Amino acid sequence: MPLFILGSIAYDTIITPFVRRERVLGGSATYASLAASFFTNNVHIISAVGFDFPDSLLNVFKERNISLKYLKKIENKSTFYWAGKYFPDMNSRETIIVETGIFDEMDVPEIINEKPKILVLGNISPVLQKRTIQSFKQQPELIIFDTINFWIKNNNKELKEVIEMVDMVCINDEEARLWANDYSLKRAARSFFIGNVKYVVIKKGEHGAIIFFKDGEAVFIPALPLEEVKDPTGAGDVFIGAAAGFLNNSLEISRDSIIKALIYGSVIASFCVEEIGIGGLLNVTKEKISERIELFKKLSSVIIKI
Amino acid sequence: MPLFILGSIAYDTIITPFVRRERVLGGSATYASLAASFFTNNVHIISAVGFDFPDSLLNVFKERNISLKYLKKIENKSTFYWAGKYFPDMNSRETIIVETGIFDEMDVPEIINEKPKILVLGNISPVLQKRTIQSFKQQPELIIFDTINFWIKNNNKELKEVIEMVDMVCINDEEARLWANDYSLKRAARSFFIGNVKYVVIKKGEHGAIIFFKDGEAVFIPALPLEEVKDPTGAGDVFIGAAAGFLNNSLEISRDSIIKALIYGSVIASFCVEEIGIGGLLNVTKEKISERIELFKKLSSVIIKI
């Protein structure tokens, strides 16, 4: 069964204390779908690009068997553009330019007949997120939701409507605190258990992630300490995308398979941040993934000592 | 064998977004020794207080069998005073007032005859840290070292001399990055492996801690997600103190016993931050520790899923 990923395909300008790169391929759907493609051959992107997006750039998806059946080209708009600057700690950043015009024209397919196993609602307008859920004639087994500060500040009501319809919220710590207006991450996480939500994953960048279950249990997913972090852009999308890809290929969606999926999410994200843009994802091999899973096991071995 | 803890005994003024408390008992030796006292009955503090410190305040140590044999009262100086203000995220803070005058007069005992099992060099001037190591006729089995930004900025040379003499560096992430002048935590951690250092523990506040071994292996120690964080002051000292107390009571000092000790450090620190000042430590019981160890096990269960 297919994995559907809604999100942006973008040009990103990335400025770090060490490097500046203009208009590289980015966007939540790009990062998430590339990450998912390591685990499943059945990925559909739902997104749009503008007149300025050459077909040749789509090869990166085609080479990985990522279906572009639901990608629209909108000829009177330019592709989503984002420019961001990272602070010296490489954990926090500011948005310098964001051009979202294309999403005014973008709509999602009216009806999708294929039955999806998993639907990832990557960062994009909550209106599009909701419409996407409604497009499916048959509901996915798992809907994973992400968003960013911008929508929390400006579209709170629409976001709440979407969140109530999803199974898993996967959001970063700053956004969770903003959403709940509460510095306590534990309480902020709990505030997402509305409607259908069963799992809340709080992403903490270099500090890993925590998954909270509805019964209050929490499991920590560490992040590998890395020698070089060249560009954290897209790491959160990769984390979700890899986890969704792994689950799409799993026999069942359970607590254990979700935790295992997040481990793979953490490992694939560790490759992503080591190069600029999607560069870190392009040379990942099965062998490299296995090596890092071993490092991850050692890093997570604390429980064995007690 | 005894555990010796060098550090400050202080009056702290604590300002958080929610509360302000004037001149409560604090200081690195206070927090670390109270935390250690849950695990060992043989704790000596090496510190000094001023004329303004009433004997009645020392009862908190005496009630927990913490020896004050090496505590000096300096009659012409006032007790170390620190006032700090926490930012809304409760993770970062600024120092508003710091009065260190008493440490100009303070010296450590010239000779300490007792053979220590463990020596904790809590945050205090590196000159006093070095002299304390030299005071012991018989060297400790393990020397644990901590410091803060202030000494890294102002006493870099003296710090390096101390670090080379210790077995374990236990420092927070911001300080490690400042010391190494490197945003990469992994490289920053590695830069502490000079002289005698065998273990480097990077404390990350609410994000837990990572222990690095000389061979490059890393193990992550998560921190329990908490409902309420009222005051993070002293959490790092408690983490070290509890770990040192646990190790002081262990048969051997090994990789495994150190990791286990850090787990107890993380758990005792979780109590500390839930109340203002040392308040969170005063009502800890064996039962409460066991409960949190169980939560910690669940939080750390990721490895079991892979």
Side-chain angles (χ1 to χ4, degrees):
Chain A
M1 275 189 292
L3 160 63
F4 281 82
I5 297 175
L6 169 74
S8 59
I9 293 181
Y11 284 124
D12 288 345
T13 289
I14 294 158
I15 306 161
T16 79
F18 312 103
V19 75
R20 180 190 178 102
R21 288 283 265 287
E22 302 278 347
R23 297 179 73 79
V24 296
L25 177 61
S28 55
T30 302
Y31 281 105
S33 65
L34 292 177
S37 73
F38 294 116
F39 303 101
T40 175
N41 265 317
N42 203 344
V43 183
H44 287 276
I45 288 179
I46 306 175
S47 192
V49 294
F51 64 85
D52 54 348
F53 199 91
D55 286 348
S56 59
L57 255 185
L58 296 175
N59 285 337
V60 71
F61 302 108
K62 290 177 187 160
E63 284 164 7
R64 283 157 184 81
N65 276 317
I66 297 166
S67 155
L68 303 174
K69 183 175 160 189
Y70 300 102
L71 175 70
K72 282 189 187 152
K73 187 144 187 175
I74 299 178
E75 294 292 353
N76 63 338
K77 290 279 177 181
S78 58
T79 300
F80 176 59
Y81 177 64
W82 175 82
K85 184 179 173 181
Y86 287 88
F87 297 112
D89 69 0
M90 294 292 279
N91 257 333
S92 43
R93 69 182 183 196
E94 58 177 337
T95 292
I96 294 171
I97 303 169
V98 59
E99 291 170 7
T100 60
I102 193 166
F103 298 129
D104 302 338
E105 299 287 323
M106 177 184 166
D107 208 343
V108 299
E110 269 196 34
I111 294 180
I112 300 177
N113 286 310
E114 286 142 296
K115 178 170 168 55
K117 181 156 176 175
I118 295 172
L119 167 62
V120 172
L121 302 172
N123 166 38
I124 206 163
S125 124
V127 175
L128 291 175
Q129 290 179 317
K130 185 175 169 184
R131 279 198 212 138
T132 301
I133 299 175
Q134 292 168 334
S135 296
F136 286 98
K137 280 181 73 175
Q138 304 175 77
Q139 283 303 297
E141 284 183 36
L142 187 80
I143 305 180
I144 305 176
F145 161 90
D146 190 11
T147 193
I148 57 161
N149 288 356
F150 179 82
W151 307 111
I152 297 175
K153 283 177 192 152
N154 300 304
N155 294 66
N156 211 280
K157 184 175 152 285
E158 292 86 351
L159 266 189
K160 187 160 180 280
E161 285 176 24
V162 180
I163 291 173
E164 286 179 339
M165 298 166 82
V166 309
D167 303 286
M168 181 189 288
V169 171
C170 192
I171 197 169
N172 84 26
D173 48 357
E174 192 193 332
E175 288 148 5
R177 285 176 161 129
L178 180 69
W179 166 265
N181 191 23
D182 193 334
Y183 77 92
S184 161
L185 209 56
K186 192 174 177 179
R187 282 196 306 251
R190 199 188 300 142
S191 76
F192 286 106
F193 285 110
I194 54 175
N196 211 31
V197 176
K198 297 164 200 71
Y199 316 102
V200 175
V201 179
I202 307 287
K203 300 178 283 182
K204 312 205 295 174
E206 68 158 344
H207 304 300
I210 308 184
I211 179 166
F212 291 91
F213 300 97
K214 222 174 170 174
D215 62 9
E217 197 171 318
V219 174
F220 192 86
I221 320 291
L224 290 164
L226 299 171
E227 201 97 353
E228 288 287 354
V229 174
K230 284 194 187 151
D231 175 17
T233 309
D237 305 310
V238 166
F239 178 69
I240 295 182
F246 183 88
L247 281 174
N248 204 61
N249 209 25
S250 298
L251 281 179
E252 54 157 23
I253 293 170
S254 63
R255 258 187 208 219
D256 282 5
S257 67
I258 287 172
I259 291 171
K260 202 166 170 182
L262 295 176
I263 293 169
Y264 280 89
S266 177
V267 164
I268 303 298
S270 78
F271 293 110
C272 174
V273 301
E274 289 180 322
E275 299 294 342
I276 308 293
I278 60 168
L281 294 176
L282 299 183
N283 299 314
V284 176
T285 59
K286 285 211 165 130
E287 290 67 34
K288 286 183 185 170
I289 296 174
S290 301
E291 274 172 27
R292 293 225 167 156
I293 288 286
E294 289 310 308
L295 289 177
F296 189 96
K297 282 184 188 170
K298 286 181 180 169
L299 184 70
S300 312
S301 61
V302 62
I303 188 73
I304 297 168
K305 315 295 183 182
I306 205 166
Chain B
M1 277 190 291
L3 160 63
F4 282 81
I5 297 175
L6 169 73
S8 59
I9 293 181
Y11 284 125
D12 288 346
T13 289
I14 293 158
I15 304 161
T16 79
F18 312 104
V19 75
R20 180 190 176 103
R21 289 284 265 285
E22 300 279 346
R23 297 179 72 79
V24 295
L25 178 61
S28 57
T30 301
Y31 281 104
S33 64
L34 292 178
S37 73
F38 294 115
F39 303 101
T40 175
N41 265 318
N42 203 343
V43 183
H44 288 276
I45 288 179
I46 307 174
S47 192
V49 292
F51 64 85
D52 55 349
F53 199 90
D55 286 349
S56 60
L57 255 185
L58 296 175
N59 285 338
V60 72
F61 301 107
K62 290 176 187 162
E63 283 163 8
R64 283 158 183 82
N65 277 318
I66 297 166
S67 156
L68 302 173
K69 184 176 160 188
Y70 300 103
L71 175 69
K72 281 188 187 154
K73 187 143 186 172
I74 299 177
E75 295 293 353
N76 63 338
K77 289 282 177 180
S78 57
T79 300
F80 175 59
Y81 176 65
W82 174 82
K85 184 178 173 179
Y86 286 88
F87 297 111
D89 69 359
M90 294 294 280
N91 257 335
S92 44
R93 69 184 184 195
E94 58 176 339
T95 292
I96 294 171
I97 304 167
V98 58
E99 292 171 6
T100 60
I102 193 167
F103 299 128
D104 301 339
E105 298 288 323
M106 178 185 166
D107 208 344
V108 298
E110 271 197 31
I111 295 181
I112 299 176
N113 286 309
E114 287 141 296
K115 177 168 169 55
K117 182 155 173 176
I118 294 172
L119 168 61
V120 172
L121 302 172
N123 166 38
I124 206 163
S125 121
V127 175
L128 290 175
Q129 290 178 317
K130 185 175 172 184
R131 280 200 211 135
T132 300
I133 299 174
Q134 292 168 333
S135 296
F136 287 97
K137 281 181 72 175
Q138 305 175 77
Q139 282 302 296
E141 284 184 37
L142 188 79
I143 305 179
I144 304 175
F145 161 90
D146 191 10
T147 193
I148 57 163
N149 287 355
F150 179 83
W151 307 111
I152 296 175
K153 284 177 191 153
N154 300 303
N155 294 68
N156 211 281
K157 184 175 153 283
E158 293 86 351
L159 265 190
K160 187 161 182 278
E161 284 175 27
V162 180
I163 291 172
E164 286 178 339
M165 297 167 83
V166 308
D167 303 285
M168 181 189 289
V169 171
C170 191
I171 196 169
N172 83 27
D173 47 357
E174 191 193 335
E175 288 148 6
R177 286 178 161 128
L178 180 69
W179 165 265
N181 190 22
D182 193 335
Y183 77 91
S184 162
L185 209 55
K186 192 174 176 179
R187 284 196 305 251
R190 199 188 299 141
S191 76
F192 287 105
F193 285 109
I194 54 174
N196 210 31
V197 176
K198 296 164 200 73
Y199 315 103
V200 175
V201 178
I202 307 287
K203 300 179 282 182
K204 311 204 292 175
E206 67 157 345
H207 304 301
I210 307 183
I211 180 165
F212 291 90
F213 299 96
K214 223 174 171 173
D215 61 9
E217 197 171 317
V219 175
F220 190 86
I221 321 290
L224 289 165
L226 298 172
E227 199 96 355
E228 288 286 353
V229 175
K230 285 193 185 152
D231 175 17
T233 310
D237 305 310
V238 166
F239 179 69
I240 296 182
F246 183 89
L247 281 174
N248 205 60
N249 208 26
S250 298
L251 283 178
E252 54 158 21
I253 294 169
S254 63
R255 257 185 208 220
D256 282 5
S257 67
I258 287 172
I259 290 172
K260 202 166 169 181
L262 296 176
I263 293 169
Y264 279 89
S266 176
V267 164
I268 303 296
S270 77
F271 292 110
C272 175
V273 300
E274 289 182 318
E275 301 291 342
I276 309 292
I278 60 167
L281 294 176
L282 299 183
N283 299 314
V284 176
T285 59
K286 285 208 167 133
E287 290 68 34
K288 286 182 186 172
I289 296 174
S290 301
E291 274 171 28
R292 294 225 168 157
I293 288 285
E294 288 310 307
L295 289 178
F296 189 95
K297 281 184 188 170
K298 284 182 180 168
L299 185 70
S300 312
S301 60
V302 64
I303 188 73
I304 297 169
K305 316 293 184 183
I306 204 166

